[in-house]
Amino acid sequence: MKYRIETIIVTLSILLFLQGCSVKKFIPEDKLLYTGADLELQSDDPIEQKKDLKNQLQALISPDPNSKILGSRIGLYFYYKGQKENPGFINRFLSKKLGQEPVYLSDVDPFQTEKLLKNRLENRGYFYSRVNHSVNENEEDKLAHIKYTAVLPENPYILENYQMDTDSLKIYREIENTLSESHLQSGEKFNLSLLKAERERIDAALKRQGYYNFSSNFLIFEADTNQYDRKKFDLFLRLKEEVPPAGTKPYIIKDVNVYPNYVIGTDSQERDTTRFNERSYIQDKVFFKPEKLDPFILLNEGELYSPELSGKTSRRLTSLGTYKFVNIQYDEIDSIATDSVGYLTANIYLSPMNKRAIRAELQAVTKSNNFAGPHLTVTYTNRNLFKGGEILNVTAKGGYEWQLSKQNDIGNSSTVLGLETALISPRMLFPFINIRSNWFDYSIPKTKLAFGFEYLNRSQLFSLFSVTGNFGYVWKANRFITHELNPLSVNYSNLSNTTKAFDDILDENPFLKSSFDQQFIAGLTYSFTYNGMIDELETHQFYLNSNLEVAGNLLDLLSSGATPRKFLGMEFAQFSRIDADFRYHYNFAPQQTLAARLYGGIGIPYGNSEVMPFSRQFYSGGPYSVRAFQIRGLGPGSYDPEGDGVPYYDRMGNLRLEANVEYRFPVYQFLKGAVFVDAGNVWNTEDNYVELDEKPTEQQTLLLEKGVFGKDFISELGIGTGIGLRIDIQNFVIRFDLAAPLHTPWLAEGERWDFKISEPVFNFAVGYPF
C-alpha cells in the first residue's frame, strides 16, 4: 500500500507540473501558435497506394509545429521562461538545452505548400489536380491549425509504349540494347522519380561500355498523349541536341601509369619507369616490386574504360594496408574530333603510409570475468617489409588484474605477460599450388602467419604457459561477407605451480581437472561473417557470425598406440566445436532501435578426449551475456556451486544457448538509454563428462545430474531484465547496465520466478553487447 500511495503522489505531481507548463500566457497578442496541418485526399475513383502517396505529400508540409509531451509543449515552455528579463540560471540552462523556438501561423506559407503538393501529384501522374487550404483560428486559446485538401482526377496517366528514337550514332544502338532491363514497362503510372532512375540506369550502363564523358543529363524524355482518348501516353527517349561529341563515343585506355611511391607535390620529379605486364611502374627507386603490385590492378591498356574495374582496383589497393591514399585519375589524349573512339591515360597515384611505426598503449582493462587492471601494450609495425605489401606486427604486452567483485577467497588477482608476432601477406600463399589472383573477384585473400606465447599467473592457484600458432587466410567475398580459414591452428598450454588449494579444487571436480589435462590442441578453424550492420540507414539490419573448429583428427592419423594417444610425446585434444551468433536490428525511428540476438554453440569431445578442453568450453553470464548474473554465474544447468558443494567458480559447459532483446533510445545528445531482457545458460552433454574409476561423490553426482542438457532445458534458463546507460561518442561506447534476475535456475521448481530487484548486478563494459 505504501508503494501505491507514493506512485499516486508522483503521478499527481507530474500531472500538476505538466498542467503548469501552459504556454498560452506567453504567446504575444498579435500571434497564433501553429499546431500543425491535416491532409485530405479526394477522388471520385479509388486511389491506388493511397497511404504511400499521402505519406509522401505529408512530408512536404512544413514547418513542423512545436512538439508535445503528454499533451504539454514543454520545450516551448522552457524557451519562453528563458526569454524573461531575469530568467535565472536554471531557466537559462533549461532554455538552452531543452527549449524550442515558437512556430507561429505567420511563419507558415500555405500557398507555397499548395504548389509543392500539386507538383508532387503531377510527378506521380495526377495532372490537373487541385489543392486548397483552410485555416482554423482559435483566438481564445491563441492556436491555429491548417487543413489541406487535394482533389485528384479520376485516374493518373498510364504508360502504353516506351521506345528509343532512331539515329545513326552508335550510342543510340547501345542505349536501345539496354531497354530490356528498364523498369519502365507498359501499364506503369507516370512517375517522375522512375524517369530519373531510368536516366541513371542508362548512364551507368553506358559507362560500363566505355562512354567516359556521358552524363544522364544528356537524355530527355518526350511524352505523347495524342494517340489515345483515355489517360495513356507513349514515351520517347532521345539525346539532347547540345550533347558534345565527346559524350557520344566510347573511350579506350591507351596507357596505364602506376606511381607506387607518390608524394603530393612531386609531379615534376624524374623517376625510373619499369614496364611490366603492359603497365608502366614509375618510381625513383623500388618501393613496391611491380610483379607484386600488378595483380591488384585490373585496368589494362587497350581495354574500354570501366568505372567498375576502376572501383575494384581502388578497393584492392586500399586493402593492402600499405597506402593511406589511392587516387586514380584519367586524362584524355588529344585525338581527331571525327574519331569514333577516344583515348585515356590512367594514372594511379599511391601515397604510402609511414613504413615503420611504434605504438604504445596504456589501458585500463575490464574483462568479462570481472577482472580489471592496467595493461601496457607496445606494438612495432613494419609495412611493405619485403617490398610486396607484407606487414609485420610484433606486440609485447604486460598487465596486472584483480577481481572487482570477489567471488572466492583465492585467485583474485593475476599477472599476464605475452609476445605475439604476425606476418600478413596481401596474397594467397599455398604450398605447391599457384593461386591466381583473378580467382577472387572482390578482393584477394590475405595470408597470415602468427606465433605467440603468454604467461598467466593466477595468485594462489596456478601458472599457465601457452604457445599459439596459426597459418591461414582471410578474405572478403563482397562488402558484407568475410571468410577466415586457418588450415593449421596450434595451441599448447602447460599448467604448473599449482597450489594445494587449486589441487583440492580439481580433485573435487574431475570434469574441470580433465579439461585442464588437454594441453595440446591442433586442428582447423573456419569463420563466416555476414555483416549487414554496415548499412546504417537500413531499417532492417542483419548480422551472422559462425565458427567451426575441428581438432586432433590429423594428429590421430599420425599417431598410434592405446588411448590416450600422443604426438611428439604430448597428449592432444580431439573434438569438434561450432557456434553461431545471429543479430537483428529494427531501426523503426531516428536513433531508436529494437535489437535482438540469438546465440547457440556446442562442442563434442571424442577419440582422445573425454571432455572439452577448458579454453574451448562455454560460459554464461556477464556484461556480454546474461547481464543479471555475474560472469560464469550460470550453469551448468540448474547446478548451484554454493548449495551443492563444489567451490570452483568457473562454471563451464560444452553447450550454450542465449537470447537477448534490447530497446535502445536517445536520452540527450551522446547519452543513450536501453531497456533489455536476457536469457541463457550452459549445459553439458553426456559426451562431456569423465567416467570415474571409483564411485563418484555426492557432489560429483549432483554436478552430472543437474548439469546435463535435457528436455526441460527451458526451465533451466537464467532470465534477467534491466536498464542501461551508454555514452556514445562517434561509435566509441562506454556502457553501464544494471540488471536483476527474473528466473534463477538453481532454485527449487516453483520458486525460480522471482524478480530480485533488491539484488541487482552492475555491468561496466566498452561497446554494445550485440
Side-chain angles (χ1 to χ4, degrees), residues 396-451:
K397 65 179 181 180
Y400 178 77
E401 306 166 357
W402 63 91
Q403 200 163 31
L404 297 177
S405 58
K406 297 183 179 181
Q407 301 177 5
N408 297 272
D409 295 330
I410 57 176
N412 295 315
S413 64
S414 65
T415 303
V416 60
L417 300 171
L419 180 68
E420 182 179 357
T421 301
L423 179 63
I424 303 171
S425 174
R427 56 194 57 87
M428 192 170 189
L429 305 177
F430 197 85
F432 315 115
I433 298 178
N434 181 23
I435 305 296
R436 298 176 59 184
S437 60
N438 58 4
W439 289 2
F440 301 90
D441 181 61
Y442 187 80
S443 66
I444 298 177
K446 294 183 178 181
T447 302
K448 181 178 181 180
L449 178 63
F451 174 80

Side-chain angles (χ1 to χ4, degrees), residues 683 708-717 749 752:
W683 294 266
V708 172
F709 183 81
K711 62 181 181 180
D712 297 328
F713 74 94
I714 293 181
S715 66
E716 296 176 345
L717 291 173
E749 293 189 33
R752 295 178 179 178

Side-chain angles (χ1 to χ4, degrees), residues 71 156 329 395 432 475 488 497 589:
Q329 295 182 0
T395 301
F432 315 115
W475 72 97
L488 180 60
N497 299 326

Side-chain angles (χ1 to χ4, degrees), residues 54 333 544 613:
K54 188 172 182 178
I333 300 175
L544 173 64

